[in-house]
Amino acid sequence: GAGVSQSPRYKVAKRGQDVALRCDPISGHVSLFWYQQALGQGPEFLTYFQNEAQLDKSGLPSDRFFAERPEGSVSTLKIQRTQQEDSAVYLCASCTGSFGIDTIYFGEGSWLTVV
Amino acid sequence: AQKVTQAQTEISVVEKEDVTLDCVYETRDTTYYLFWYKQPPSGELVFLIRRNSFDEQNEISGRYSWNFQKSTSSFNFTITASQVVDSAVYFCALRGGSIKAAGNKLTFGGGTRVLVKP
């Protein structure tokens, strides 16, 4: 597709369960971002990839969160031992390069509910 | 550190009224980029505009217009003659101009929910 694609769109997980969220960025986009958006708030940065290199993971809230992009295209965000506070929308985004001028395009998000 | 503040949490207007969304930002970067995104109920963040810090010219695109004032660190957004389809949450965001990794991320404001009633 032409845009950023994320799956699953909706996920309900029991507390303690592991989840994996997938992101398929726009073809050819070097940079990929993950953001977390809690209900009623703005998105908050989690991590950033330039190709396969994870250059910034300063926003990951705990060591239960792990992201990878092994071949520089598709990325997976994994959350281990989910907690209720992990309930949020997880947004993936991509852009062509790594400069501030580049516009970042977002997917529709993966809505995670932990019960 | 970068910060974006959208003081208005929700604005309700009647169709055809104009609505202005405020955005105030803080950054130490000398070069930076400001964005507005629209988030409809589907959840996707839709890009509306990017403004460079060195270009203070205001911009108009159809019913949308933006007023960038560097002196007051503000980047306000006006929807003229609002329509029901404009109902959404609107986010202002800031991105530093540094090519360092930390400078690439977007910092978002809390968003303003716009409700346009018929």
Side-chain angles (χ1 to χ4, degrees):
Chain A
V4 178
S5 178
Q6 293 187 244
S7 62
R9 285 278 283 131
Y10 303 94
K11 175 70 178 179
V12 178
K14 291 185 178 179
R15 193 160 60 99
Q17 187 178 357
D18 296 349
V19 299
L21 308 176
R22 175 190 167 102
C23 173
D24 211 331
I26 294 172
S27 178
H29 277 194
V30 167
S31 293
L32 184 145
F33 303 82
W34 283 98
Y35 282 80
Q36 181 190 57
Q37 186 177 17
L39 188 64
Q41 298 183 21
E44 293 195 355
F45 172 80
L46 292 177
T47 187
Y48 163 63
F49 289 86
Q50 187 177 110
N51 295 308
E52 68 278 2
Q54 188 174 20
L55 298 185
D56 188 350
K57 52 183 179 179
S58 60
L60 296 176
S62 77
D63 58 7
R64 296 186 295 104
F65 286 71
F66 171 76
E68 61 182 5
R69 194 187 185 196
E71 297 178 358
S73 54
V74 171
S75 176
T76 303
L77 176 67
K78 297 178 180 178
I79 309 173
Q80 297 176 326
R81 304 180 304 282
T82 52
Q83 303 295 316
Q84 283 190 320
E85 60 263 29
D86 300 334
S87 296
V89 178
Y90 291 86
L91 293 163
C92 179
S94 69
C95 66
T96 53
S98 56
F99 298 101
I101 195 172
D102 297 325
T103 296
I104 300 177
Y105 296 94
F106 285 81
E108 290 185 315
S110 289
W111 300 57
L112 174 64
T113 302
V114 181
V115 297
Chain B
Q2 298 179 334
K3 185 178 179 181
V4 177
T5 301
Q6 296 179 253
Q8 307 146 307
T9 54
E10 184 166 326
I11 300 175
S12 182
V13 298
V14 176
E15 205 169 19
K16 297 185 182 177
E17 287 184 345
D18 298 347
V19 56
T20 295
L21 310 180
D22 298 333
C23 172
V24 175
Y25 62 91
E26 297 175 28
T27 181
R28 294 179 188 167
D29 288 335
T30 53
T31 299
Y32 51 89
Y33 304 88
L34 295 162
F35 298 79
W36 276 94
Y37 285 86
K38 175 182 179 180
Q39 189 174 46
S42 64
E44 180 180 359
L45 282 163
V46 178
F47 165 74
L48 295 178
I49 189 171
R50 179 188 67 232
R51 171 60 68 210
N52 308 330
S53 57
F54 45 85
D55 180 4
E56 289 195 65
Q57 193 170 14
N58 290 329
E59 184 160 339
I60 298 175
S61 176
R63 296 185 296 107
Y64 296 167
S65 62
W66 291 269
N67 182 355
F68 175 36
Q69 295 206 351
K70 206 168 181 178
S71 60
T72 56
S73 298
S74 66
F75 185 42
N76 297 338
F77 172 33
T78 297
I79 304 172
T80 302
S82 60
Q83 299 176 0
V84 172
V85 293
D86 296 327
S87 296
V89 181
Y90 291 85
F91 290 97
C92 180
L94 168 69
R95 192 181 191 196
S98 166
I99 63 173
K100 296 177 184 176
N104 288 319
K105 61 190 175 189
L106 282 168
T107 299
F108 284 86
T112 299
R113 180 177 299 278
V114 174
L115 177 61
V116 181
K117 300 176 182 177

